[in-house]
Amino acid sequence: MMKKLFTTSIGRLRLLAILEGISLLVLVFIAVPLKHFWDVPGLSKSLGPIHGALFLLFVFNALRVGVEQQWKFKETTWKVLIACFIPFGTFYIDYKILRNIPTDED
């Protein structure tokens, strides 16, 4: 199972979805409140660029996998792309869509 996360394009997209989702949750629910309510900007200054990079990697990989898997944009691709804007969205998409896609090794 863990090997598939690194060796297949779907596995890498799932891994990025998890990392991007965690970074969004930490940013929204921990870093931003620390910055605005307690005037502690350190975490959001360091996590912001990391989340931005993970976000871009997720979007580019989602588009690449969508083309590779021949997803219909109106049925699948847009759902995967919208998920990265919503807290817990990437976890939901991983559960509902990404884990059910067969990989080359299946």
Side-chain angles (χ1 to χ4, degrees):
M1 166 61 183
M2 193 62 142
K3 183 180 177 185
K4 286 182 189 179
L5 289 178
F6 296 104
T7 58
T8 65
S9 57
I10 294 291
R12 287 187 293 272
L13 182 61
R14 291 184 69 195
L15 184 61
L16 280 170
I18 292 166
L19 293 174
E20 196 277 336
I22 291 170
S23 72
L24 178 62
L25 291 176
V26 172
L27 196 61
V28 169
F29 294 113
I30 298 172
V32 171
L34 279 173
K35 179 181 177 182
H36 291 289
F37 297 126
W38 291 284
D39 199 30
V40 181
L43 185 58
S44 78
K45 279 185 178 180
S46 60
L47 187 59
I50 294 169
H51 170 70
L54 288 170
F55 172 82
L56 290 174
L57 284 170
F58 178 79
V59 168
F60 291 139
N61 276 286
L63 291 171
R64 184 177 59 81
V65 169
V67 169
E68 182 181 288
Q69 295 285 319
Q70 298 176 349
W71 291 343
K72 292 184 179 175
F73 188 85
K74 290 183 178 181
E75 291 179 15
T76 306
T77 308
W78 76 272
K79 293 176 188 176
V80 174
L81 292 174
I82 292 297
C84 62
F85 291 100
I86 303 167
F88 301 102
T90 55
F91 303 114
Y92 178 78
I93 288 298
D94 180 56
Y95 179 74
K96 285 292 191 179
I97 296 175
L98 298 179
R99 77 180 179 130
N100 297 320
I101 297 173
T103 60
D104 298 337
E105 295 178 1
D106 286 345

